[in-house]
Amino acid sequence: MPDILEGVRVVSLAVNLPGPLAAARLAGFGASVIKVEPPTGDPLAVAAPGWYAELTGRQRVAVLDLKDPDDRAGLDAELAGADVLLTAMRPSALRKLGLDNAPEQFPGLSHVEIVGHDGALEELPGHDLNYQAAHGTLQPPLMPTIPVADLLGAERAVSATLLALRNVAKSGAGHRYRVVLEDAAADAGAAVRHGLVGPEAPLGGATPTYGIYATADGHIALGALEPHFRARVLEHLQVPDIRAELERVFATHGTDHWEELAERADFPLTGIRSRTQEK
């Protein structure tokens, strides 16, 4: 992809996720990103150092103590020449830093603010696990395998940045844009609320040819949802559209066998592998 954001300058104060992921996406589009971290660093660098290195690979990392007048002056100098400020903290923390009205202080600067909650609950603490818990995307007692709200929030922050740049190009004025992680989780939970996924839902187990099955040496994900794919599976396996029959047949061979058959027969089937496994 061409560097469509070449010449755009982003200052990010965001740590953890989703801010660093959004900043990495913007850097990938060609923006110049400076990642300002406190002296204690970004917790992501400790929790997932490989991912942290991947996300910051195209960014300039600067350590600033924003309680120190000289370091704060350094941040203001960066903001004076920036197009976008990206933050991920509670509104009270922004106020303490004097950044709650950054677009007014720095003409032309837009502020993309990632928060957990909005309105009367804006100061309520939370993380991805909490937002998912409130909107039906968890299956207790299992922990989530992906940070849904954080990932969706990152993409919303990227979209908000693009909207901000477009608006500045038209009006010349920067504005503040709020990305709410609980809203992102609520949108993810719509699939549960409307009965598309979940126990006995169409994408949650009610359709035998759309599900997870044990093989002789692992598991496969069968995604034969459309009628032509479903017919193709049943024809090649020579079984009725009954879950118990599919379970019986898939258990007779290993995952590689079923992937090879699916490739030849042209239906969606993928072996399930953990992060430590390679195909």
Side-chain angles (χ1 to χ4, degrees), residues 41-234:
D42 187 337
L44 183 64
V46 176
W51 199 6
Y52 171 84
E54 180 182 309
L55 294 179
T56 58
R58 296 187 61 174
Q59 302 176 42
R60 177 166 61 94
V61 178
V63 176
L64 296 178
D65 181 357
L66 299 184
K67 296 178 181 179
D68 178 88
D70 291 337
D71 282 5
R72 178 49 197 269
L75 173 64
D76 288 348
E78 293 288 349
L79 293 176
D83 299 289
V84 178
L85 167 64
L86 177 65
T87 63
M89 61 186 74
R90 284 190 276 185
S92 59
L94 274 175
R95 289 192 291 272
K96 289 178 181 178
L97 292 175
L99 293 173
D100 51 316
N101 62 345
E104 297 178 16
Q105 298 177 58
F106 304 95
L109 177 72
S110 294
H111 180 188
V112 176
E113 175 191 21
I114 302 172
V115 297
H117 305 275
D118 200 10
L121 300 177
E122 66 177 14
E123 287 297 319
L124 188 69
H127 280 289
D128 181 274
L129 184 66
N130 305 107
Y131 313 134
Q132 290 202 53
H135 293 286
T137 56
L138 298 182
Q139 294 186 1
L142 301 177
M143 291 290 286
T145 56
I146 58 173
V148 170
D150 282 350
L151 295 178
L152 290 178
E155 292 303 316
R156 291 186 175 202
V158 172
S159 297
T161 299
L162 298 178
L163 288 172
L165 295 172
R166 175 63 175 165
N167 193 24
V168 169
K170 293 176 64 177
S171 68
H175 296 278
R176 185 167 65 179
Y177 300 79
R178 177 170 279 191
V179 174
V180 183
L181 298 180
E182 188 181 12
D183 290 349
D187 283 350
V192 178
R193 291 196 306 275
H194 293 285
L196 183 62
V197 298
E200 300 307 314
L203 302 189
T207 305
T209 54
Y210 190 91
I212 294 174
Y213 290 92
T215 67
D217 60 2
H219 291 81
I220 55 94
L222 177 64
L225 187 63
E226 295 84 356
H228 63 285
F229 284 136
R230 181 166 62 249
R232 210 169 287 167
V233 168
L234 301 177

Side-chain angles (χ1 to χ4, degrees), residues 227-243:
H228 63 285
F229 284 136
R230 181 166 62 249
R232 210 169 287 167
V233 168
L234 301 177
E235 175 187 352
H236 282 80
L237 270 60
Q238 297 185 334
V239 296
D241 192 9
I242 300 174
R243 182 170 298 278

